[in-house]
């Protein structure tokens, strides 16, 4: 199946979900769960936690399917963002419980399938996103890629790059604004 066909199928499924069609959730799960589980597992580095978060992701998708806008993002991008955010939230909860694990350990988790960035890169949206990312300065590219595709929190990124947290937040915010403008052209 071509990337455009896959996107069209997922957009159709999301439309069916938005009107409450329960069968659509099962179909969406079948088509996307392996990739989204990979996103969760990369961030959490714990199979049970990743499974719990994945379930939460699909509950969120079920409740918020009507908010999906195919003009703003591809379905897999929207889903991967939810998976990433839920995984980071869970990682923070785990840390508060005292079982914090270093984020760098998540890089060792193997997943034979493409990650969220590779999936997007294979699509037309991904090609356009790569072009727009390439127009940003290197620190901004690195910060955005680490935060959104690497599953690293802003706090961890600030620590890793040895810059103030406010600098990271501002850099990413300005970069995302530039990306939005570039993608809108």
């Amino acid at each position: 199946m071509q990337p455009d066909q896959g996107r069209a199928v997922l957009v159709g499924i999301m439309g069916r979900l938005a009107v409450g069609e329960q069968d659509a959730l099962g179909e969406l799960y079948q088509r996307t769960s392996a990739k989204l589980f990979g996103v969760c597992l990369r961030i959490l580095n714990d199979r049970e936690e990743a499974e719990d978060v994945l379930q939460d992701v699909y509950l969120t998708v079920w409740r918020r399917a009507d908010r999906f806008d195919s003009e703003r993002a591809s379905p897999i991008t929207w889903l991967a963002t939810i998976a990433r955010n839920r995984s980071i939230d869970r990682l923070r909860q785990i840390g508060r419980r005292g079982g914090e694990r270093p984020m760098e350990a998540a890089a060792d988790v193997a997943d034979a399938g493409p990650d969220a960035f590779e999936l997007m890169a294979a699509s037309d949206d991904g090609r356009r996103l790569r072009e727009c990312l390439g127009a940003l300065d290197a620190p901004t590219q690195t910060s955005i890629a680490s935060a959104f595709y690497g599953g690293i929190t802003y706090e961890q990124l600030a620590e890793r790059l040895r810059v103030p947290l406010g600098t990271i937040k501002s850099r990413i915010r300005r970069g995302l604004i530039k990306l939005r403008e570039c993608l809108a052209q």
Side-chain angles (χ1 to χ4, degrees):
M1 184 178 299
Q2 298 293 336
D4 286 343
Q5 291 173 325
R7 178 185 171 131
V9 168
L10 290 178
V11 168
I13 293 171
M14 292 302 298
R16 291 172 34 219
L17 269 175
V19 296
E21 189 177 315
Q22 290 181 357
D23 292 341
L25 186 62
E27 193 174 336
L28 183 71
Y29 182 87
Q30 181 182 13
R31 291 177 179 274
T32 61
S33 63
K35 299 305 176 204
L36 298 183
F37 180 70
V39 170
C40 297
L41 189 58
R42 278 193 177 106
I43 294 169
L44 293 164
N45 197 29
D46 181 299
R47 188 169 205 80
E48 285 183 33
E49 292 289 346
E51 289 169 354
D52 287 347
V53 169
L54 186 65
Q55 181 178 1
D56 185 44
V57 167
Y58 285 101
L59 287 173
T60 301
V61 169
W62 174 252
R63 288 189 298 250
R64 297 185 178 172
D66 61 328
R67 297 182 188 165
F68 171 71
D69 181 358
S70 63
E71 297 296 317
R72 293 183 58 185
S74 70
I76 196 67
T77 302
W78 189 72
L79 294 166
T81 300
I82 293 171
R84 174 194 173 274
N85 292 342
R86 292 286 185 259
S87 296
I88 289 173
D89 289 346
R90 180 65 59 96
L91 194 61
R92 288 179 180 140
Q93 288 174 344
I94 293 168
R96 283 193 292 273
R97 287 187 271 162
E100 188 168 341
R101 295 175 297 254
M103 179 60 77
E104 291 76 22
D108 298 331
V109 177
D111 180 12
D115 61 21
F117 187 71
E118 291 168 340
L119 285 170
M120 284 183 21
S123 71
D124 287 337
D125 288 343
R127 189 172 1 90
R128 184 76 182 119
L129 179 61
R130 272 196 325 271
E131 291 170 4
C132 291
L133 269 172
L136 300 174
D137 60 272
T140 302
Q141 285 180 34
T142 300
S143 297
I144 289 174
S146 297
F148 290 92
Y149 303 116
I152 297 173
T153 65
Y154 289 4
E155 293 85 2
Q156 292 167 326
L157 188 57
E159 187 177 306
R160 180 180 289 176
L161 297 176
R162 296 188 178 118
V163 297
L165 178 59
T167 301
I168 291 296
K169 289 180 176 180
S170 296
R171 180 185 295 163
I172 290 175
R173 185 179 66 250
R174 284 190 311 267
L176 291 175
I177 290 168
K178 288 180 182 176
L179 279 176
R180 186 178 324 133
E181 290 170 356
C182 179
L183 291 169
Q185 295 177 355

